[in-house]
Amino acid sequence: VQTSETHDEL
Amino acid sequence: MNIFRLAGDMTHLASVLVLLLKIHTIKSCAGVSLKTQELYALVFATRYLDIVTDFISVYNTVMKLIFLGSSFSIVWYIRHHRVVRRSYDKDQDTFRHYLLMIPCMLLALFVHEKFTFKEVMWTFSLYLEAVAILPQLVLLQRTRNIDNLTGQYVFLLGAYRGLYIFNWIYRYFTEPHFVHWITWIAGVVQTLLYADFFYYYFESWKNNVRLQLPA
């Protein structure tokens, strides 16, 4: 799950 | 990673390659807005601060390095390359950066998910990316006879944004709690800015005539 700390998009 | 996200990233990569091809091979940056390119360099520099703090994947890191490297080298080419800089339409490319940068910074300071340096910078990069194409669109409108590579560059950039929207729709339904209002709204605004361009791009393609935007 994406959290606001780790952005996995470019 | 879903197919829309991958296709979006590949389209983004293709747009950068088309632009580098034009600049590097033809040694011309005619019709390319330096203002937009500088804004993109700033977008990537502020968004990818996490490149040194968080590791997501090799793919993620490599793509970030490509976008950082290509955006700064395009700016360098247009400003400093002996031959390329002569083809820059300086008098036509008059959009003022700060008119976009200052409102985006203010908005990021007030509307964000978390008030930390990295997060505010990241939010700023989203807002700025949404409007960074404007100087380029204004320049296209002023340029009679847009060349093929410049037209394809803007088309690919617009396609990349459109594919990211499909990617978010997909992720919303497949991943629990995947809600990112700021990213989504900025992304939709950005894609809408291309609507007019897309219309004329397809018209010119359909009628097999050179792309020209009405003044």
Side-chain angles (χ1 to χ4, degrees), chain B residues 98-204:
Chain B
Y98 64 86
L99 287 180
L100 300 174
M101 281 156 59
I102 293 170
C104 288
M105 188 42 91
L106 290 175
L107 194 59
L109 284 171
F110 291 106
V111 185
H112 47 250
E113 281 185 28
K114 231 172 60 180
F115 192 64
T116 62
F117 177 72
K118 222 167 74 178
E119 194 67 22
V120 169
M121 282 305 172
W122 182 80
T123 314
F124 167 71
S125 82
L126 287 181
Y127 296 148
L128 191 62
E129 189 191 357
V131 292
I133 195 65
L134 286 174
Q136 179 64 67
L137 291 175
V138 169
L139 182 60
L140 282 188
Q141 212 163 50
R142 290 176 179 173
T143 313
R144 298 279 122 202
N145 296 327
I146 300 158
D147 69 81
N148 282 334
L149 287 179
T150 310
Q152 274 154 20
Y153 166 67
V154 178
F155 172 75
L156 287 166
L157 266 184
Y160 141 64
R161 292 318 310 182
L163 286 162
Y164 254 66
I165 292 179
F166 288 106
N167 154 58
W168 295 326
I169 294 171
Y170 183 89
R171 293 188 78 166
Y172 179 78
F173 287 108
T174 53
E175 289 175 36
H177 320 297
F178 187 76
V179 180
H180 285 281
W181 289 113
I182 293 176
T183 315
W184 295 349
I185 293 169
V188 169
V189 168
Q190 186 176 359
T191 312
L192 287 175
L193 292 181
Y194 288 90
D196 193 55
F197 171 84
F198 275 143
Y199 174 79
Y200 291 105
Y201 184 87
F202 284 119
E203 282 290 303
S204 80

Side-chain angles (χ1 to χ4, degrees), chain B residues 7-68:
Chain B
D9 286 350
M10 290 305 116
T11 319
H12 192 187
L13 192 61
S15 74
V16 173
L17 291 178
V18 164
L19 190 55
L20 276 172
L21 178 81
K22 176 180 154 91
I23 291 175
H24 189 81
T25 316
I26 308 170
K27 296 273 183 289
S28 161
C29 64
V32 177
S33 168
L34 174 63
K35 303 296 174 79
T36 284
Q37 296 307 319
E38 287 177 337
L39 291 175
Y40 280 138
L42 184 60
V43 163
F44 296 131
T46 50
R47 182 173 307 168
Y48 298 160
L49 290 173
D50 65 352
I51 200 168
V52 285
T53 56
D54 302 284
F55 177 77
I56 294 153
S57 65
V58 173
Y59 172 84
N60 197 280
T61 304
V62 169
M63 291 294 270
K64 282 175 177 169
L65 288 173
I66 292 175
F67 290 131
L68 277 169

Side-chain angles (χ1 to χ4, degrees), chain B residues 74-85:
Chain B
I74 289 166
V75 169
W76 179 86
Y77 258 112
I78 302 176
R79 293 184 84 106
H80 302 296
H81 189 279
R82 191 171 46 85
V83 183
V84 176
R85 70 171 187 207

